[in-house]
Amino acid sequence: MRLSNCEDLGSYLRECRREAGLSQADLAARATVSRRWLSDLEAGKPTVEVGLVFKVISALGLFVDCRPAPEPEIGLDAFLDSLGREP
Amino acid sequence: MRLSNCEDLGSYLRECRREAGLSQADLAARATVSRRWLSDLEAGKPTVEVGLVFKVISALGLFVDCRPAPEPEIGLDAFLDSLGREP
DNA sequence: AGGGGTTGTGCACGTACGTGCACACTGGCC
DNA sequence: GGCCAGTGTGCACGTACGTGCACAACCCCT
């Protein structure tokens, strides 16, 4: 599942948790985080700690893959910027 | 590139930054984060904010893919735990 | 030799984090 | 109807965050 922001991440992890048949309390215990924090993560809070996110991902039996987007040689933001320019 | 912790993430993003020919100051400006913070991210600090990490990933023209590991039906941690048990 | 760029890191600052607790709400079950 | 599990969220607490600034160290070039 391709993720580009915290909302995506939170929604995806909630979906995986439910598919695993776990409650927030269950997953929180497995990942050794608080249920309060997990609720924030699933709600898409952007300021949660990366280290805790990795723990949740691991506890759900998932892994993260990161690689270049199949875009032109120039930087993505420069490319999008050039698309966005007014004539 | 498969990532399982903050050290992996930091090392991989530093490598991508260098391959893009950017300094920390350059990338920090593109991602609108501080160079001080970016230095911490690349060093593997686990408590950095996920939202800022997504900004850096995007600024480098990368994307994140998250999906189940090709493991047995049981949870990864239970599986690993069973492997680790003493006879 | 010096100059410049890059990077790691400590400190100060103001803000916010993770956590525990508690409460309210919803839905399912009896 | 009530009961229970699950979840969202505010608050208090102690700690630490992101940021700017500054400095030291290293490397490369002239």
Side-chain angles (χ1 to χ4, degrees):
Chain A
M1 164 74 175
R2 186 163 172 161
L3 306 174
S4 47
N5 57 43
C6 302
E7 284 79 23
D8 289 348
L9 177 67
S11 300
Y12 179 63
L13 293 180
R14 162 174 287 161
E15 183 189 321
C16 291
R17 173 178 63 79
R18 286 173 170 164
E19 284 181 4
L22 299 170
S23 66
Q24 285 185 341
D26 291 333
L27 180 54
R30 283 190 172 203
T32 59
V33 297
S34 72
R35 188 189 70 78
R36 184 68 190 75
W37 178 89
L38 185 56
S39 181
D40 277 342
L41 170 65
E42 292 189 354
K45 190 183 183 197
T47 54
V48 295
E49 292 183 8
V50 172
L52 299 180
V53 175
F54 272 117
K55 288 169 81 178
V56 170
I57 286 170
S58 175
L60 283 168
L62 305 172
F63 75 94
V64 174
D65 186 33
C66 189
R67 60 177 177 271
E71 257 85 24
E73 203 66 65
I74 63 173
L76 177 62
D77 52 353
F79 177 64
L80 291 173
D81 185 56
S82 69
L83 283 179
R85 283 189 201 289
E86 298 297 325
Chain B
M1 163 74 176
R2 186 162 171 162
L3 306 175
S4 47
N5 58 43
C6 301
E7 284 79 21
D8 288 348
L9 177 65
S11 300
Y12 179 64
L13 293 181
R14 162 174 287 161
E15 183 189 323
C16 292
R17 172 177 64 81
R18 285 173 170 163
E19 284 180 4
L22 298 170
S23 66
Q24 286 186 340
D26 291 334
L27 179 55
R30 283 189 172 204
T32 60
V33 298
S34 72
R35 186 187 74 79
R36 182 70 189 74
W37 177 90
L38 184 57
S39 181
D40 277 342
L41 170 66
E42 291 188 355
K45 191 184 182 196
T47 54
V48 295
E49 293 184 5
V50 173
L52 298 180
V53 175
F54 272 117
K55 289 169 80 177
V56 171
I57 287 172
S58 177
L60 283 168
L62 305 171
F63 75 93
V64 174
D65 187 32
C66 188
R67 60 177 178 271
E71 257 86 22
E73 203 66 66
I74 64 174
L76 178 61
D77 51 355
F79 177 65
L80 292 173
D81 185 57
S82 69
L83 283 179
R85 282 187 203 291
E86 298 298 324

